[in-house]
């Protein structure tokens, strides 16, 4: 059905707007909170597109970086 890709792309557009908003944050707490929302929105975007391996790969990459 055609609504799934349209919905996924709409979520991607919201993610783009969140990414721009992140750069305007001056408060560290707000920056971190907005980055969390930004990354969760990316996760939803890729899941809606059916790209389940991409969010999983990003999650594993983050875990690996935290362990260093």
């Amino acid at each position: 059905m055609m609504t799934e890709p349209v919905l996924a792309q709409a979520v991607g557009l919201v993610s783009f707007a969140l990414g721009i908003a992140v750069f305007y944050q001056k408060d560290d707490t707000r920056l971190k909170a907005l980055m969390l929302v930004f990354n969760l929105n990316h996760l939803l975007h890729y899941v809606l597109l059916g790209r389940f391996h991409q969010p999983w790969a990003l999650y594993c990459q983050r875990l690996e970086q935290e362990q260093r």
Side-chain angles (χ1 to χ4, degrees):
M1 197 150 124
M2 195 58 161
T3 55
E4 287 88 10
V6 172
L7 178 62
Q9 291 301 324
V11 170
L13 189 60
V14 169
S15 190
F16 177 71
L18 284 169
I20 292 172
V22 165
F23 284 100
Y24 289 107
Q25 299 305 310
K26 296 187 189 231
D27 180 30
D28 193 44
T29 306
R30 285 190 62 177
L31 172 74
K32 290 177 182 178
L34 199 54
M35 282 296 293
L36 175 66
V37 172
F38 174 68
N39 285 316
L40 289 174
N41 197 51
H42 263 92
L43 174 73
L44 178 62
H45 171 67
Y46 283 115
V47 168
L48 287 174
L49 284 174
R51 308 288 196 256
F52 298 108
H53 63 279
Q54 183 67 26
W56 180 250
L58 290 173
Y59 175 72
C60 290
Q61 182 182 11
R62 291 283 182 193
L63 286 178
E64 185 178 292
Q65 288 175 352
E66 288 177 4
Q67 290 177 353
R68 290 183 190 172

